[in-house]
Amino acid sequence: MLEELEFGSRNLYGKIKETKIKLESHLDLVYSCLGFCQKGLQQIVEETELPVQTVIGALTDLTLQGYAEEISKNYYVKCI
């Protein structure tokens, strides 16, 4: 029954691989810094080594596209 619902490990792994998103390079870099635990704007800037304005723009785009969420002022998490 689980295999019919595609919960088998092979099917689940295949589905995850297929859903990899395609983003512009700066968006991809910022997205890759995000996780499921909150991360502050300053930490993202330090990790990506991008200018603050570029990171803010990328986070805004990712939020609008549903890939990130601002959970409190200047703290972000990755969305599934």
Side-chain angles (χ1 to χ4, degrees):
M1 181 170 176
L2 290 177
E3 289 177 6
E4 290 175 8
L5 297 173
E6 297 185 359
F7 286 122
S9 61
R10 185 182 65 216
N11 290 335
L12 182 58
Y13 178 73
K15 291 291 182 190
I16 292 171
K17 277 181 71 175
E18 290 173 12
T19 58
K20 188 173 182 181
I21 58 174
K22 304 264 193 268
L23 299 170
E24 294 177 32
S25 61
H26 68 281
L27 291 177
D28 189 43
L29 185 59
V30 172
Y31 181 77
S32 68
C33 282
L34 298 176
F36 298 110
C37 294
Q38 70 181 6
K39 191 172 283 193
L41 175 62
Q42 186 60 39
Q43 186 177 355
I44 297 168
V45 169
E46 290 170 4
E47 288 181 20
T48 60
E49 298 179 353
L50 293 171
V52 174
Q53 292 300 74
T54 302
V55 172
I56 291 171
L59 289 168
T60 300
D61 289 345
L62 290 168
T63 300
L64 291 173
Q65 293 175 31
Y67 295 125
E69 181 181 355
E70 185 177 19
I71 58 170
S72 62
K73 182 83 171 153
N74 295 323
Y75 285 87
Y76 296 84
V77 293
K78 182 183 286 190
C79 294
I80 296 179

